Amino acid sequence: MRSVIDITDLTVSEIDSLMATASDIIARPDDYAEACRRKKLATLFFEPSTRTRLSFEAAMYELGGHVISVAGSDSSSAAKGESVADTARTVSTYADIIAIRHPKEGAALVAAQKATVPVINAGDGGHCHPTQTLADLLTIKREKGGFDGLTVGLCGDLKFGRTVHSLINALTRYGGLRFVLISPEELKLPGYVKKEALKNKGVPYEQTTDLASVMPDLDILYMTRVQRERFFNEEDYLRLKDTYILTPEKMKLAKKDMCVMHPLPRVNEISVAVDEDPRACYFKQVENGKYMRMALILMLLKEAGRI
Ligand code: NCD
């Protein structure tokens, strides 16, 4: 049974075809309105979420399917000590496909090993978040026309920010890109991500703590929230949380067509005054996320022989 736990579970040509399907859904939504009729998506969210859970659910409704859902570990048998493996096996008997978010790295993989229906990782701890990456890729493609030759700045919490880990792994498979990693010393990209995605593939990158000095070079600036929930102590969080704040003033240093992205939720790292700038693309990412999740649900249900 095929699941999507990591973005590398999808080949580049599968990602391209998901983007093509998403574009077709945008152009002809009515053609897809019954595609998943009578099928059920289970959303199991053991960590807070607004966009990811609701966009999965909206995606399934727009495909004509149904949704059953657990939101928060307090209200499910996880609170009684049930394992992720048992939950996944149980839910497989009710649903045709599962989207799971969990605070522990590797939880989605465990769920996929026990489930008898496709499982989609909707975020596992500080590890990865492949469907956010699908949203990000479609956004870059729609805004920039493609990936070749782009200089991508990733800024903020590169250590715990799972969306960054997945995005970098996806983009480096397209080739022709350059990365600028902007973070405080304590929140640098983990060694394993740097090695697999950048060093082993000879992808050009630089690391800096100074956002302003690299702004003029960037085609994409991907801002991230400092991941409070992954810190061991609150003092470190408070010290680091406002290291980078993107303001209209700083935007003056950027290219006229630079895209500002952010997986959201934003805390302080992008001033609301930037929202009016035509280069702000973060709410477009939200919308693209729903279409890419529709495309992914369709692909996995077809492969599983359920539609
Ligand atoms: C992200 C996540 O959950 O990792 N949110 C999202 O799904 N769009 C980013 C974050 O929480 O900072």
Side-chain angles (χ1 to χ4, degrees):
M1 180 61 51
R2 172 118 92 128
S3 289
V4 173
I5 305 307
D6 201 298
I7 194 67
T8 51
D9 291 334
L10 296 166
T11 65
V12 169
S13 79
E14 282 171 335
I15 293 175
D16 288 341
S17 100
L18 288 172
M19 289 195 284
T21 305
S23 302
D24 199 52
I25 295 171
I26 294 167
R28 276 178 285 279
D30 290 350
D31 289 2
Y32 295 85
E34 297 288 324
C36 293
R37 207 171 144 257
R38 299 174 66 100
K39 300 298 152 191
K40 274 172 280 170
L41 163 75
T43 51
L44 309 179
F45 276 60
F46 301 110
E47 244 195 1
S49 170
T50 299
R51 269 154 296 274
T52 307
R53 185 168 67 85
L54 294 188
S55 79
F56 265 113
E57 298 185 354
M60 194 55 170
Y61 283 120
E62 289 188 27
L63 291 167
H66 303 280
V67 175
I68 53 177
S69 159
V70 164
S73 39
D74 294 352
S75 62
S76 74
S77 286
K80 301 180 187 172
E82 186 170 56
S83 68
V84 169
D86 283 358
T87 302
R89 198 163 170 175
T90 301
V91 175
S92 296
T93 66
Y94 308 138
D96 299 280
I97 186 163
I98 296 171
I100 181 169
R101 169 172 287 191
H102 199 282
K104 289 224 172 77
E105 291 79 6
L109 179 63
V110 170
Q113 283 162 347
K114 290 293 171 188
T116 54
V117 299
V119 172
I120 304 172
N121 181 7
D124 62 328
H127 183 219
C128 59
H129 192 350
T131 64
Q132 179 62 46
T133 295
L134 294 177
D136 300 343
L137 293 175
L138 182 63
T139 306
I140 297 174
K141 179 130 197 255
R142 292 181 82 186
E143 297 302 311
K144 292 285 176 195
F147 306 107
D148 199 31
L150 296 178
T151 297
V152 179
L154 302 162
C155 178
D157 187 348
L158 308 188
K159 180 179 180 186
F160 297 118
R162 56 193 173 194
T163 67
V164 166
H165 306 161
S166 294
L167 180 60
I168 206 162
N169 266 307
L171 284 174
T172 54
R173 292 195 297 164
Y174 279 91
L177 292 102
R178 204 180 131 243
F179 292 87
V180 185
L181 310 176
I182 309 143
S183 73
E185 280 299 321
E186 294 98 318
L187 299 178
K188 279 166 129 174
L189 193 70
Y192 78 94
V193 181
K194 206 184 290 172
K195 191 159 171 254
E196 276 164 35
L198 300 170
K199 286 189 180 156
N200 287 355
K201 296 183 191 158
V203 175
Y205 73 95
E206 65 177 281
Q207 291 189 97
T208 179
T209 54
D210 182 14
L211 173 60
S213 70
V214 294
M215 273 297 257
D217 302 337
L218 306 178
D219 299 302
I220 306 281
L221 172 59
Y222 193 97
M223 296 294 294
T224 60
R225 169 180 74 89
V226 176
Q227 306 278 298
R228 181 181 206 157
E229 64 275 38
R230 317 252 181 255
F231 275 69
F232 291 113
N233 92 53
E234 181 75 0
E235 266 167 44
D236 287 345
Y237 168 72
L238 294 173
R239 182 167 51 80
L240 294 167
K241 72 183 176 66
D242 292 329
T243 313
Y244 304 105
I245 300 180
L246 188 64
T247 57
E249 210 39 51
K250 284 212 189 86
M251 286 297 288
K252 289 188 186 146
L253 301 169
K255 288 184 183 169
K256 295 274 169 286
D257 62 348
M258 186 189 78
C259 283
V260 183
M261 299 176 66
H262 190 306
L264 302 178
R266 123 180 88 186
V267 185
N268 282 331
E269 56 282 352
I270 302 181
S271 140
V272 290
V274 175
D275 298 0
E276 302 318 314
D277 190 307
R279 293 169 289 184
C281 294
Y282 25 96
F283 289 106
K284 293 182 186 172
Q285 275 168 273
V286 175
E287 199 185 342
N288 289 329
K290 184 186 71 181
Y291 296 120
M292 286 304 268
R293 290 182 176 107
M294 289 173 80
L296 183 63
I297 291 169
L298 273 174
M299 184 189 109
L300 291 175
L301 285 180
K302 268 188 203 149
E303 269 189 28
R306 289 182 175 255
I307 53 173

